[in-house]
Amino acid sequence: MATTLLWFQAGACSGDSMSILGAESPNLLEALETLGVELLWHPSLSLESPEWLDRLIQRIERDEQTLTVLCIEGAVLAGPNGTGMFDSFLGRPKMNVIGSLCEKAGVVVAVGTCSSFGGIPAAHPNPTDAVGLQFLREEREGGLLDPAWKSKLGLPVINLSGCPVH
């Protein structure tokens, strides 16, 4: 079975993507090919439409498509009032999409400080209710996922902090 990777953008500037796309020797696509990783989708590299991505997400949710590695870039925006509608994907709160994908992934990687800890969007007064995947700022609670959450392979979220991630 091939290793698959889906990169999903939450509320952020996409600086982590831009940084990794600037890598050379090897570049991102060469590295993935060398490692035998099939890139299912990336917001800056994939040509497919949002509707195509939605169908892919639905296949993952129905266990028709394996998701080995899920990379989340950007803070999860839970506002207003816990609805997540400050950041949506085809009418669905991205926080719900991310939560659903996390349940299906073998490994979940928070790419950058925003997805790891909420980053600058989570700074007080945090008007968008931005959170990281398992952390809110330095607290191991208040993130999108329960502090005890584990991926399908039994791992917590792997936090690669940095702005941009190195």
Side-chain angles (χ1 to χ4, degrees):
M1 182 181 301
T3 299
T4 59
L5 184 148
L6 173 67
W7 188 294
F8 196 76
Q9 178 77 39
C13 65
S14 73
D16 298 299
S17 281
M18 295 304 103
S19 178
I20 198 167
L21 292 175
E24 298 178 359
S25 191
N27 67 41
L28 177 61
L29 295 177
E30 290 169 345
L32 294 176
E33 183 177 339
T34 299
L35 295 169
V37 175
E38 176 188 356
L39 180 63
L40 297 175
W41 198 82
H42 185 285
S44 297
L45 293 173
S46 299
L47 302 176
E48 295 84 1
S49 69
E51 291 76 18
W52 183 94
L53 174 59
D54 186 46
R55 288 190 298 275
L56 172 64
I57 291 168
Q58 289 176 34
R59 288 196 320 273
I60 292 167
E61 291 172 331
R62 292 189 306 257
D63 295 319
E64 296 169 0
Q65 168 67 59
T66 302
L67 179 57
T68 313
V69 180
L70 173 64
C71 292
I72 301 295
E73 177 179 8
V76 178
L77 305 185
N81 304 315
T83 66
M85 290 306 293
F86 278 151
D87 189 20
S88 64
F89 174 71
L90 296 177
R92 185 174 169 196
K94 281 188 182 177
M95 71 178 199
N96 294 353
V97 175
I98 291 166
S100 177
L101 289 171
C102 285
E103 294 304 318
K104 300 298 182 175
V107 176
V108 176
V109 180
V111 182
T113 298
C114 288
S115 58
S116 295
F117 306 104
I120 292 172
H124 293 291
N126 195 358
T128 60
D129 296 328
V131 299
L133 289 177
Q134 277 189 303
F135 285 81
L136 175 54
R137 295 181 287 278
E138 66 279 354
E139 299 298 323
R140 188 166 173 97
E141 56 184 42
L144 175 67
L145 304 170
D146 185 90
W149 180 89
K150 303 275 193 220
S151 72
K152 280 190 143 184
L153 292 178
L155 299 170
V157 172
I158 297 169
N159 293 302
L160 302 178
S161 63
C163 186
V165 68
H166 300 289

